[in-house]
Amino acid sequence: MPRCLACLFAFIALSLSAAAEPTALTIIPESVELKGNFARAQVLAVEAQDAAAVNEKSADLTGAASFRSSDPAVVMVDSSGRLTAVGNGRAEVEVSVGGMAKRVPVAVTEMVDAPRPGFREFITPVLSSAGCNAGSCHASQYGKGGFVLSVIGFDPDLDHRSIARDRLGRRINLVEPEQSLILRKPTMQVSHGGGARLKKGSVDYEILVAWIKAGAAASSNEADVVGIEVFPRQRVLAVDAKQQLRVVAKYSDGRERDVTAWARYDSLDDAVVSVTPEGVVTTEGRGQGSVMVRFVGHARIALFVSPFNSTSPFAGWNSPNLVDQHAERKFRELGLVPSGECDDTTFLRRAFLDAIGGVPSVEETQAFLASSDPEKRSKLVDRLLGLTGDPAQDLYNDRYAAYWTLKWSDLLRNSSDGQAVAEQRMWAMHNWIKEKFRTNRPFDEFVRELIVAKGSVNSSGPASFYEINRSPNDLAEASAQLFLGTRIQCAQCHHHPFEKYGQEDYFAFAGFFSRVGTKTSEEFGIFGRELVVTVKSAGDARHPKTGKTLAPKALDGPLLDHPLDRRIALADWLTAKENKAFARSVVNRYVSYLLGRGLVEPVDDMRGTNPASNPELLDALSEEFIAGGYNLKPLIRTIMTSKLYQRDSQPTPENAADSKFFSHYRVKRIAAEPLLDAIDHVTGSPTKFRNLPKGTRAIELPDAEYPDYFLNTFAKPKRASVCECERTPDESLGQALHTLNGDILANKIADGGGFISKLVKEKKSDEEAIGEVYLRALARPATNSEIASAKELLAGTPNRTEFYQDLLWALINSKQFLFVH
């Protein structure tokens, strides 16, 4: 028997081996030209008939291939397919795998006996590849051992001074280059805290030796890198499969150069993909992961997909909704089967909370559940958003305006900061925001009015933007993060290691606000002397290091100006249809509000190295948002009427691992203000807020400063930053204790004029009363088992009022009440 089993296993192994044999071979690139000393290139072996047939599912054969140079005196090739120029001439590299072979013509030119490698073109990439100019090494604030470099080489002049001139030039030895500390330390010939970073005799080592021999010159008339390309940009791989990356840099003089050997590689999701310093990617788990590739201040993303299930039984939705179309495509790509549709009661409560920040009444619940209209869900969304066109049905517009005013008041940081003198300013901004949402003004208009605002902050709501953000730097950072989804704070001091913006970009963008000023009015108004936002005729931004005056320039955009007010040019560019970043930023925020997470996370960090989970969906929604005139309500409607939004929150065993692609609805904790409003509604005991009439909802509060213990416990933000992260969604022990044992909830439930008191006085059967408690608290009927259990408990309770108080208390403390699910 063991012998038979051994034969069987051998047969299976041979079968699998035979099945894995490649059927075609293509080499990328088909020919190679290596120019100059130290030139290198990566060739890839791909399973495809030809280059045109290569696609995202084409297998990488590079790791299994063997490579041979026809003339090692011209070009050398290692076992990974990396070519290195040796001498001028022509040769061929033979690539063979699985019984197939292809030859790659190689031409080597411009080799010289005494090379003079340029500092920016060669030395900076070598330092970056070795990790010397990383933020954790010599590019930290004070460097290491007194040796300071700029982050990822963004300041070549500083780097050259540090290497060649600092400490009397002790780091290099022009007489005996190989005795230079810049070589001896990273090769561990001398003790080095950073460990071995360079191998003696390697190409990078020889580049440094040649540079020092040539006089260790600084940069002079060298072409700049203007971009990089990565191949492949996207691949679909099985778990444990590998892919060699290839990176090509493009220069300002039109040249292209293979920089695979000098690029830096980082996995953005270690659970899905890993990557070696040589650019070999391995899929570690199922899902979608990205590898960030960096070279001299430029970064690109390579996307890798490892399907959860290669034989997905997902039948599809056949939905006209563009959200569903792109979600379905992603589900098929990933082999994901989404959870089923949520029931009517779940959708009703979810829609109310997401659209207007409130819960439905018993009457609204009963009417919705009783309806047999197949379009009742989309019609409910239209009523909540005020899109029916019938004033008799559009009853929720004020609540919609209040809820979304709360959202944007948080982001715009509208607060009195507890100062009575600032209350009028705070109210002016609050009323302006609310009116914009109440009248459903286009969002580009909303942003434009903020950007170009001026006048008294007590009467002009958007002018408060310039009182809240006083300096050009603050205004630039807030505008970029709020309306472009771009965080530029790091670029104030140095080049962002994962982004394309540096100090010049930062201060040129801040230049749009350099002529904005404030003054105190000469005349007394209703509220005394008023702060007035003005525009000055002079004032420019300057580079903090060079002192150079910087003309206003859009981020990754053109130089802009306007004879009257630079901010007008900024507003024109920012809200232009051609500026896709604006629409993408808004769309991503609203996806996060409605689906529980953004397509890009964090939602206000939409850099090129932080890719969307479904880029096609983000692009499609953005295009629709632009085409619709930046109208927010149709955007919300598109998302809420999609089948994707209406998924059940309960994951299946097949999609439980998915946290990015919305295969099941993402459960969200109700925020502080809507939660307090829900408790007030259910208990029938409204909260009285300071200086506001009783009956004012928590979502209608204009200020961040309210001495309300409940709101503070449940993380009402202080409006100290423009980051969405200020409103933390995490639960805390204090919150749990507050709903379980707190006086506020207990007093509301026991309120003599509240719901329970009135319910007990009514002549209803226990079954009817129990059912009404469930309808009011959870927006759904009680099940038969719930009614039976409640009646059993009631029978053993001497006080009927206390029983119903306890029942309501239990339901309010349930996850079904505290979460949007």
Side-chain angles (χ1 to χ4, degrees):
M1 181 66 69
R3 183 176 180 182
C4 294
L5 284 174
C7 292
L8 177 61
F9 291 151
F11 175 75
I12 292 173
L14 287 171
S15 300
L16 291 174
S17 176
E21 282 292 313
T23 59
L25 176 63
T26 289
I27 308 302
I28 297 176
E30 296 177 326
S31 63
V32 177
E33 184 177 3
L34 299 175
K35 289 187 176 182
N37 300 66
F38 317 115
R40 288 189 277 184
Q42 176 71 52
V43 295
L44 305 181
V46 183
E47 186 173 17
Q49 292 296 333
D50 52 44
V54 175
N55 59 43
E56 63 182 21
K57 294 185 178 180
S58 299
D60 180 32
L61 306 176
T62 309
S66 60
F67 303 87
R68 186 182 66 84
S69 171
S70 65
D71 190 348
V74 174
V75 60
M76 292 193 303
V77 60
D78 64 17
S79 60
S80 67
R82 190 161 292 175
L83 282 56
T84 303
V86 179
N88 293 320
R90 293 184 177 276
E92 290 184 328
V93 170
E94 183 181 76
V95 184
S96 57
V97 58
M100 295 176 291
K102 288 283 182 76
R103 291 178 175 273
V104 181
V106 180
V108 178
T109 60
E110 301 180 18
M111 295 283 288
V112 297
D113 293 334
R116 303 176 65 85
F119 189 84
R120 280 191 298 175
E121 186 168 350
F122 284 95
I123 306 306
T124 295
V126 167
L127 296 174
S128 296
S129 178
C132 304
N133 56 18
S136 59
C137 199
H138 292 287
S140 59
Q141 185 175 5
Y142 302 108
K144 299 291 183 182
F147 181 25
V148 181
L149 294 172
S150 63
V151 179
I152 60 172
F154 81 91
D155 189 344
D157 294 335
L158 166 67
D159 296 340
H160 181 265
R161 287 196 303 272
S162 294
I163 296 171
R165 301 185 182 281
D166 187 39
R167 308 295 174 94
L168 301 178
R170 65 186 291 267
R171 296 189 176 100
I172 60 171
N173 188 328
L174 297 175
V175 178
E176 296 182 83
E178 294 196 51
Q179 295 303 309
S180 301
L181 277 179
I182 195 72
L183 290 169
R184 289 171 59 79
K185 282 210 166 191
T187 54
M188 293 302 290
Q189 297 175 67
V190 173
S191 177
H192 181 224
R197 296 282 175 165
L198 197 63
K199 186 176 180 180
K200 190 172 183 180
S202 66
V203 174
D204 288 357
Y205 181 89
E206 295 301 328
I207 288 173
L208 289 169
V209 170
W211 174 67
I212 298 170
K213 279 184 178 179
S219 299
S220 176
N221 300 321
E222 292 181 57
D224 294 318
V225 177
V226 295
I228 62 174
E229 292 294 333
V230 179
F231 180 87
R233 291 295 306 277
Q234 183 169 340
R235 277 294 316 276
V236 177
L237 299 173
V239 174
D240 295 329
K242 296 183 183 298
Q243 172 67 57
Q244 170 69 58
L245 296 175
R246 179 173 180 266
V247 187
V248 174
K250 297 182 178 182
Y251 287 81
S252 56
D253 59 4
R255 286 183 300 129
E256 292 189 356
R257 174 172 167 236
D258 190 313
V259 295
T260 308
W262 292 291
R264 295 276 293 177
Y265 306 92
D266 297 280
S267 171
L268 299 182
D269 192 338
D270 293 330
V272 179
V273 292
S274 61
V275 62
T276 68
E278 294 73 33
V280 179
V281 178
T282 303
T283 48
E284 304 290 348
R286 303 190 187 281
Q288 178 174 289
S290 300
V291 170
M292 176 173 61
V293 182
R294 289 178 285 158
F295 179 75
V296 191
H298 293 265
R300 293 302 288 266
I301 291 295
L303 185 68
F304 295 89
V305 174
S306 182
F308 290 90
N309 185 343
S310 59
T311 57
S312 170
F314 179 42
W317 287 329
N318 295 319
S319 170
N321 187 299
L322 68 84
V323 171
D324 295 331
Q325 293 170 10
H326 290 284
E328 179 176 333
R329 191 173 297 120
K330 180 59 70 174
F331 288 149
R332 292 190 185 283
E333 180 182 61
L334 289 164
L336 271 174
V337 181
S339 297
E341 187 177 77
C342 66
D343 59 32
D344 281 345
T345 58
T346 299
F347 177 80
L348 173 70
R349 186 173 183 273
R350 182 186 298 176
F352 262 81
L353 284 165
D354 280 345
I356 64 172
V359 293
S361 67
V362 171
E363 295 74 23
E364 289 163 330
T365 301
Q366 291 172 326
F368 185 76
L369 298 182
S371 173
S372 58
D373 185 348
E375 301 297 323
K376 66 180 182 181
R377 293 192 180 191
S378 59
K379 289 179 179 179
L380 171 67
V381 172
D382 287 342
R383 291 201 305 274
L384 292 172
L385 298 177
L387 293 174
T388 68
D390 181 358
Q393 293 193 60
D394 293 341
L395 303 176
Y396 302 101
N397 199 50
D398 286 344
R399 291 172 66 180
Y400 165 87
Y403 181 57
W404 293 102
T405 296
L406 173 68
K407 289 274 192 183
W408 283 97
S409 292
D410 286 347
L411 292 174
L412 293 172
R413 300 170 55 209
N414 186 30
S415 174
S416 68
D417 295 323
Q419 302 176 23
V421 70
E423 282 194 18
Q424 176 59 27
R425 179 204 60 74
M426 177 272 299
W427 271 107
M429 189 176 209
H430 173 84
N431 290 337
W432 172 78
I433 297 171
K434 190 171 183 179
E435 182 63 13
K436 290 297 177 185
F437 283 104
R438 191 188 67 80
T439 56
N440 194 33
R441 301 305 302 163
F443 195 71
D444 61 330
E445 175 186 299
F446 178 91
V447 173
R448 170 179 283 278
E449 289 187 21
L450 274 172
I451 296 297
V452 302
K454 57 185 178 180
S456 168
V457 298
N458 286 347
S459 56
S460 172
S464 279
F465 189 55
Y466 291 88
E467 166 66 357
I468 296 166
N469 304 280
R470 287 289 188 103
S471 71
N473 293 1
D474 290 342
L475 287 160
E477 291 175 12
S479 299
Q481 191 164 341
L482 286 171
F483 308 127
L484 295 172
T486 301
R487 300 178 180 181
I488 61 171
Q489 289 88 332
C490 292
Q492 182 177 2
C493 300
H494 56 78
H495 197 292
H496 194 300
F498 300 158
E499 194 39 286
K500 51 195 167 188
Y501 303 125
Q503 281 185 301
E504 186 162 329
D505 301 295
Y506 178 97
F507 287 99
F509 189 66
F512 286 110
F513 305 101
S514 61
R515 295 184 178 179
V516 179
T518 57
K519 66 178 183 179
T520 303
S521 63
E522 297 180 0
E523 298 180 1
F524 279 89
I526 300 174
F527 303 97
R529 294 189 186 276
E530 300 178 348
L531 189 71
V532 178
V533 177
T534 63
V535 177
K536 299 176 291 185
S537 59
D540 293 296
R542 295 183 179 276
H543 195 292
K545 291 186 177 179
T546 66
K548 181 178 71 172
T549 298
L550 299 173
K553 182 177 181 295
L555 291 175
D556 200 27
L559 293 169
L560 299 170
D561 208 344
H562 191 279
L564 298 178
D565 187 346
R566 292 172 167 180
R567 299 175 304 160
I568 296 175
L570 173 62
D572 289 342
W573 169 82
L574 185 65
T575 59
K577 292 182 178 180
E578 295 74 25
N579 182 15
K580 308 299 183 184
F582 173 64
R584 286 164 57 88
S585 172
V586 178
V587 163
N588 192 53
R589 284 187 190 273
Y590 276 79
V591 168
S592 74
Y593 296 150
L594 299 170
L595 293 177
R597 78 179 309 276
L599 292 162
V600 176
E601 282 288 337
V603 295
D604 49 12
D605 190 16
M606 299 182 71
R607 49 191 159 81
T609 51
N610 185 25
S613 59
N614 191 333
E616 294 79 11
L617 175 56
L618 180 59
D619 290 342
L621 279 173
S622 300
E623 290 295 339
E624 185 178 75
F625 183 51
I626 294 170
Y630 301 98
N631 193 332
L632 289 171
K633 285 187 176 182
L635 170 65
I636 297 171
R637 186 188 191 279
T638 297
I639 298 171
M640 292 182 66
T641 56
S642 68
K643 292 182 181 296
L644 190 71
Y645 176 80
Q646 297 174 42
R647 293 306 88 202
D648 195 278
S649 61
Q650 184 63 41
T652 66
E654 292 76 21
N655 66 33
D658 167 33
S659 61
K660 297 180 180 178
F661 307 104
F662 315 107
S663 58
H664 48 274
Y665 183 82
R666 191 179 180 92
V667 175
K668 303 171 290 190
R669 197 200 70 182
I670 303 177
E673 296 91 338
L675 180 58
L676 182 55
D677 284 345
I679 291 173
D680 286 357
H681 167 76
V682 170
T683 61
S685 178
T687 301
K688 174 65 173 71
F689 297 103
R690 183 188 64 186
N691 298 332
L692 294 171
K694 191 170 184 178
T696 300
R697 293 185 175 92
I699 62 169
E700 297 172 317
L701 297 178
D703 204 349
E705 299 294 331
Y706 280 97
D708 187 277
Y709 183 73
F710 183 97
L711 295 178
N712 292 332
T713 301
F714 281 84
K716 177 177 174 62
K718 296 295 185 182
R719 298 180 178 172
S721 91
V722 298
C723 181
E724 292 277 5
C725 57
E726 191 178 352
R727 186 181 285 275
T728 173
D730 299 327
E731 306 83 22
S732 69
L733 179 60
Q735 293 167 5
L737 292 174
H738 191 64
T739 55
L740 287 169
N741 301 314
D743 291 340
I744 293 176
L745 179 58
N747 291 338
K748 286 180 178 294
I749 293 174
D751 188 340
F755 165 61
I756 293 298
S757 179
K758 293 176 181 177
L759 180 69
V760 173
K761 294 175 184 177
E762 294 174 351
K763 303 297 182 182
K764 291 185 177 180
S765 67
D766 290 331
E767 186 167 325
E768 289 177 321
I770 292 167
E772 186 168 345
V773 173
Y774 271 86
L775 279 171
R776 191 175 181 95
L778 303 183
R780 68 168 177 82
T783 65
N784 290 335
S785 62
E786 287 170 337
I787 292 173
S789 297
K791 290 173 72 174
E792 184 179 342
L793 290 171
L794 176 58
T797 304
N799 188 308
R800 191 166 181 264
T801 299
E802 288 185 5
F803 164 77
Y804 283 108
Q805 290 176 353
D806 290 346
L807 177 60
L808 184 58
W809 171 87
L811 294 182
I812 289 175
N813 277 281
S814 70
K815 291 182 179 179
Q816 290 187 54
F817 182 87
L818 296 171
F819 290 82
V820 186
H821 56 86

